[in-house]
Amino acid sequence: MTAILLEASRLGKDSRWTLLSGVVMPDHVHLLVKISSTTGLAGAVRLFKGRLTPVLRTAGLRWEPAYFDHRLRPNEDRLPVFIYIYLNPYRAKLLIPGQVWTGYFCNQNDWIWFEALTNQACPFPEWLA
């Protein structure tokens, strides 16, 4: 697991958020998290970026000054978000169907239902059309 996903998971252990799904791409990251009521989104993102800044600097990288967020309402279907995150490396043509992206994470509770919707942990060809 990449340093980025490890840190995202660590924030869960610190009760800042619960990482539901995530993917690390060569130039960006997508995370689906459940934010703790005590930290809030801005605080959690500040901690996440702050903890990873030294790692990025060693690779000659830096964070962009802003981020994009979208809040899911309690009655919104999470499935489209899980699929979007999951398919990101395939749609970017970083690997072919049948290969597994090592920079993808899905927490164990969600993987139980989400994996059952995949083609043996890979996307169905019609998902990539």
Side-chain angles (χ1 to χ4, degrees):
M1 192 182 303
T2 70
I4 292 172
L5 289 176
L6 284 172
E7 189 54 48
S9 294
R10 188 174 298 130
L11 282 172
K13 291 176 184 156
D14 293 348
S15 300
R16 305 296 181 161
W17 65 29
T18 302
L19 178 61
L20 303 177
S21 183
V23 66
V24 177
M25 301 293 287
D27 59 351
H28 66 282
V29 61
H30 293 276
L31 299 174
L32 178 60
V33 298
K34 182 177 180 181
I35 302 293
S36 100
S37 60
T38 58
T39 303
L41 179 62
V45 170
R46 185 174 49 257
L47 280 169
F48 177 68
K49 286 182 163 186
R51 291 179 181 180
L52 282 166
T53 295
V55 175
L56 293 176
R57 283 186 185 142
T58 62
L61 301 171
R62 63 177 177 78
W63 289 110
E64 291 293 322
Y67 61 91
F68 173 79
D69 66 85
H70 172 78
R71 180 179 175 184
L72 291 177
R73 304 290 179 213
N75 61 345
E76 274 187 89
D77 186 5
R78 295 182 302 160
L79 179 59
V81 179
F82 273 85
I83 291 173
Y84 177 82
I85 290 171
Y86 176 73
L87 291 180
N88 219 259
Y90 296 96
R91 290 192 172 140
K93 302 197 183 326
L94 297 174
L95 67 166
I96 59 171
Q99 292 180 318
V100 176
W101 185 249
T102 59
Y104 173 74
F105 171 84
C106 186
N107 80 27
Q108 187 175 359
N109 291 336
D110 288 308
W111 187 243
I112 290 169
W113 64 264
F114 186 66
E115 181 185 27
L117 302 176
T118 69
N119 185 15
Q120 299 177 10
C122 293
F124 290 103
E126 57 269 21
W127 285 8
L128 302 172

